[in-house]
Amino acid sequence: MTENIPQNYDPSKYDRPSVTVDVVIFSLVDEDLQVLLIKRKFAPFADMWAIPGGFVRMTESLEEAAIRELAEETGVTDVYMEQLYSFGRPNRDPRTRVITIAYFALVPHDVIQHRPGDDAAETGWFSMFDLPELAFDHREILEYALTRLRYKLEYTAVGFRLLPDIFTLSELQRAYEIILSEKLDKRNFRRKILASDILEETGKKKRDGEGRPAKLYNYKEDAVAEVKTRRLFP
Amino acid sequence: MTENIPQNYDPSKYDRPSVTVDVVIFSLVDEDLQVLLIKRKFAPFADMWAIPGGFVRMTESLEEAAIRELAEETGVTDVYMEQLYSFGRPNRDPRTRVITIAYFALVPHDVIQHRPGDDAAETGWFSMFDLPELAFDHREILEYALTRLRYKLEYTAVGFRLLPDIFTLSELQRAYEIILSEKLDKRNFRRKILASDILEETGKKKRDGEGRPAKLYNYKEDAVAEVKTRRLFP
DNA sequence: ACAAAAGTGTTGAGAGTACACCCATGC
DNA sequence: GCATGGGTGTACTCTCAACACTTTTGT
């Protein structure tokens, strides 16, 4: 039950931890899987980088808090986001007990609005494969997020949520290769992605630079979030 | 980051929600997947059944809190348990803001100690397929837990964590059938389970009642928790 | 000997994997 | 015409699914 230690205790009587949401914001930047971090200005961990996040307000749900944090940092709302895990080691924040519910979001790079405004904190994009020193237990959270992202790519088809609205199959394959850190076979990739039936041709073609123009695809809006397939890649 | 809305705010200044852990305790009882519930004695939801849980103490981690709750209700500590999801809709508890981190545990029925002591709350086992009316959003939590349990059974081999230390393959298959609510093919089941290489023969045989005595198995202690296989069942 | 549950193999279908060449365009 | 990236098919292997009879025990 939600509380019953004894049940007649007023929950408000107990010591209460602070509760935050942290949002791991993934994007593909420069052929790299990157994550948005914020530079802390104050102790503890002053001048170190940290995952964007903040307190859960008393009137908003956890997911609303995560969406709000995401919007504050990126100006974006309609992206793939899911709850990752909750972290609550007693001294993860040296000041006081802070429990954080971590989310992760997949954001197409082209929709992100740089907003140095708001809380005026310095932000930066960092490669997931070359992270700076991080505040709190944030490295652990990022590593957990990467594991989960890779896992999801293997048995669902969320990868395109990191790409612009329309994209080529080569771009999608490159996204998968970057995140999984392994090379995939072009023909097998295309067959499987198309077999999952979540993409449709736009009829348009991408003509830029050299080479044969590529068909542009978008994803079907009615595609179920969790495409229950077998693992997409070995 | 863990908190930075502005960063120099003392986290302790914010309004803080109460934080609980709720533990969905699964067990196999009478050829049925059942869950342990507690009868509430006080408002809100007086006399309704609820998932056992309680406040997270300031000095314990979330997992420690879940283990403590589990031990309080069942007297058992060394079982399979994992964090399920965090639920935080603002009015899920009508009294005040309560965020709960839900866990689920798989407990072999034979190790459970009935303990009507402790908080003297009435407890009961209920079929997951015939639940009573539940307090708070606890029905939602239970349904989520069942979905997750079924999903895990499909691609890992945690099913035996609901059985006694040693068990027969028929007992294990029955456990899977009960939880998945579908009949499985005996030969295919045995082949797959044995192929996953997490069980070993004890050399003993179960001789009770009629029929040919069955080999008894136990699971290898060194079996990795997450057996990364393809889905075990269709 | 018979009732009851344990145990065991094979076949066909579908999915996964590996692999190499032609196509459309820009310069 | 050549450089660049896009696009395509096939053969082999492996996994999955369907399916029925024999074995060992207790009574």
Side-chain angles (χ1 to χ4, degrees), chain A residues 11-127:
Chain A
S12 62
K13 282 185 194 153
Y14 281 82
D15 264 357
R16 280 169 298 188
S18 297
V19 179
T20 60
V21 293
D22 288 348
V23 185
V24 177
I25 302 170
F26 286 121
S27 195
L28 287 171
V29 190
D30 301 334
E31 300 273 299
D32 189 19
L33 178 65
Q34 300 203 347
V35 65
L36 183 66
L37 300 176
I38 292 194
K39 190 166 205 167
R40 291 185 57 81
K41 288 187 173 153
F42 303 95
F45 302 109
D47 294 321
M48 282 173 64
W49 295 91
I51 301 167
F55 294 102
V56 176
R57 297 182 184 161
M58 293 301 269
T59 56
E60 69 187 356
S61 69
L62 302 175
E63 193 181 4
E64 284 162 359
I67 290 169
R68 178 174 54 72
E69 290 296 333
L70 177 68
E72 283 172 9
E73 300 306 333
T74 64
V76 170
T77 51
D78 187 24
V79 300
Y80 181 83
M81 185 154 75
E82 70 172 52
Q83 189 181 301
L84 178 64
Y85 200 78
S86 297
F87 297 83
R89 190 165 44 76
N91 292 304
R92 50 182 299 280
D93 187 319
R95 289 167 293 181
T96 183
R97 183 75 190 273
V98 180
I99 291 166
T100 194
I101 293 119
Y103 282 76
F104 81 88
L106 304 181
V107 183
H109 193 240
D110 65 320
V111 301
I112 294 166
Q113 297 159 25
H114 232 277
R115 33 176 57 199
D118 283 60
D119 57 11
E122 185 186 348
T123 64
W125 288 92
F126 292 85
S127 171

Side-chain angles (χ1 to χ4, degrees), chain B residues 139-188:
Chain B
R139 170 173 288 271
E140 183 189 349
I141 296 175
L142 287 183
E143 273 163 12
Y144 191 81
L146 177 59
T147 302
R148 177 89 142 252
L149 173 60
R150 284 176 162 171
Y151 193 63
K152 280 213 100 95
L153 286 196
E154 284 172 347
Y155 67 95
T156 73
V158 287
F160 53 78
R161 304 300 302 260
L162 284 161
L163 298 178
D165 273 353
I166 60 172
F167 49 87
T168 70
L169 292 184
S170 295
E171 288 165 349
L172 184 58
Q173 181 177 346
R174 237 168 278 137
Y176 274 75
E177 289 176 339
I178 289 163
I179 296 165
L180 298 174
S181 299
E182 70 181 299
K183 195 152 170 41
L184 300 173
D185 179 86
K186 182 160 59 162
R187 278 167 293 190
N188 293 340

Side-chain angles (χ1 to χ4, degrees), chain B residues 57-69:
Chain B
R57 297 183 184 160
M58 293 302 269
T59 57
E60 69 187 355
S61 70
L62 303 175
E63 192 180 4
E64 284 162 359
I67 290 169
R68 178 175 53 73
E69 291 295 333

Side-chain angles (χ1 to χ4, degrees), chain B residues 106-230:
Chain B
L106 304 182
V107 184
H109 192 241
D110 65 319
V111 301
I112 294 167
Q113 297 159 25
H114 231 278
R115 33 176 57 201
D118 283 60
D119 58 12
E122 185 187 347
T123 64
W125 288 93
F126 292 85
S127 171
M128 274 303 292
F129 308 108
D130 185 18
L131 290 168
E133 206 185 351
L134 287 157
F136 307 106
D137 52 359
H138 286 188
R139 170 173 288 271
E140 183 189 349
I141 296 175
L142 287 183
E143 273 163 12
Y144 191 81
L146 177 59
T147 302
R148 177 89 142 252
L149 173 60
R150 284 176 162 171
Y151 193 63
K152 280 213 100 95
L153 286 196
E154 284 172 347
Y155 67 95
T156 73
V158 287
F160 53 78
R161 304 300 302 260
L162 284 161
L163 298 178
D165 273 353
I166 60 172
F167 49 87
T168 70
L169 292 184
S170 295
E171 288 165 349
L172 184 58
Q173 181 177 346
R174 237 168 278 137
Y176 274 75
E177 289 176 339
I178 289 163
I179 296 165
L180 298 174
S181 299
E182 70 181 299
K183 195 152 170 41
L184 300 173
D185 179 86
K186 182 160 59 162
R187 278 167 293 190
N188 293 340
F189 180 87
R190 284 162 185 251
R191 191 175 326 108
K192 284 186 201 164
I193 284 285
L194 293 175
S196 74
D197 197 41
I198 49 168
L199 301 187
E200 58 188 9
E201 297 188 19
T202 59
K204 298 177 197 156
K205 297 220 173 182
K206 173 161 192 172
R207 48 183 75 246
D208 71 333
E210 300 136 339
R212 175 173 171 178
K215 287 182 184 169
L216 285 161
Y217 290 80
N218 58 24
Y219 57 94
K220 300 179 180 172
E221 271 308 338
D222 59 336
V224 279
E226 293 287 303
V227 184
K228 263 282 197 109
T229 57
R230 290 154 202 283

